[in-house]
Amino acid sequence: TAYEIYQCDWSSDVCSSDLTFGRELAREWDWPFVDTDALLPVDPRELWLREGEESFRQQEREVVGALDLHEPTVVATGGATLMDPDNLSHLSEQGKIVHLVADPQVIWERIRKTGLPPFLVGTDPYRAFLKLYEERTKHYQTIAEETWEMPDGK
């Protein structure tokens, strides 16, 4: 069984502790680790800024659609990857979706330290973040087979 490890965060270039958790889990289980954002042709933030959300999401779908897991694998995805029905369908057919939960304030502090992702830039980024956090969390709770608390809430 492959495990699709989904972090309840925003993207690998912003919230690296979830990638660290995924890598540590894969190492502990002696499984391969895949970061879907790292499979994009360019940095996710750069891609979003240069080509826009629609192109970014299309390329993300292509990366996810190309995953063909023949062995147990820990897969970390970007923040909204599983909001897309095609991505969700493809990944859930290959393994278990695990929702990683972290305190929203911890996530917000990480985002602030590393720079706001393009989709949060605006007049009230914190309010936008909280709205996305709530929307995504509700969705993840309905699709995940398991929910895990992040170590130390981070």
Side-chain angles (χ1 to χ4, degrees):
T1 299
Y3 279 73
E4 201 300 343
I5 300 299
Y6 176 73
Q7 61 273 11
C8 184
D9 277 311
W10 308 100
S11 68
S12 60
D13 62 327
V14 175
C15 298
S16 61
S17 74
D18 300 310
L19 288 174
T20 301
F21 179 76
R23 284 187 186 103
E24 289 173 1
L25 187 62
R27 190 172 21 258
E28 181 180 320
W29 290 352
D30 197 26
W31 289 6
F33 175 78
V34 174
D35 170 14
T36 59
D37 279 353
L39 299 176
L40 291 168
V42 297
D43 174 76
R45 187 183 305 251
E46 180 183 329
L47 179 60
W48 184 290
L49 289 170
R50 190 177 63 200
E51 298 184 26
E53 181 178 7
E54 187 175 325
S55 177
F56 173 86
R57 296 292 175 214
Q58 179 56 42
Q59 291 183 51
E60 182 180 61
R61 270 190 297 282
E62 290 170 10
V63 163
V64 170
L67 287 177
D68 189 16
L69 307 174
H70 296 287
E71 62 183 328
T73 303
V74 176
V75 180
T77 65
T81 304
L82 295 177
M83 301 295 284
D84 180 279
D86 292 335
N87 292 339
L88 176 59
S89 175
H90 183 73
L91 291 171
S92 62
E93 288 170 5
Q94 296 197 54
K96 183 182 287 190
I97 295 176
V98 178
H99 174 205
L100 301 183
V101 179
D103 181 90
Q105 193 59 43
V106 171
I107 298 168
W108 176 248
E109 289 304 318
R110 271 190 245 143
I111 290 171
R112 285 179 21 138
K113 287 179 186 172
T114 58
L116 294 178
F119 53 85
L120 287 181
V121 174
T123 57
D124 193 348
Y126 184 66
R127 185 181 303 268
F129 159 76
L130 289 176
K131 182 175 186 246
L132 277 176
Y133 181 88
E134 183 178 310
E135 290 170 2
R136 291 179 181 181
T137 298
K138 284 180 185 176
H139 178 68
Y140 306 149
Q141 289 171 340
T142 65
I143 65 170
E145 294 178 56
E146 293 182 26
T147 299
W148 298 350
E149 292 286 330
M150 291 294 292
D152 301 322
K154 297 180 180 178

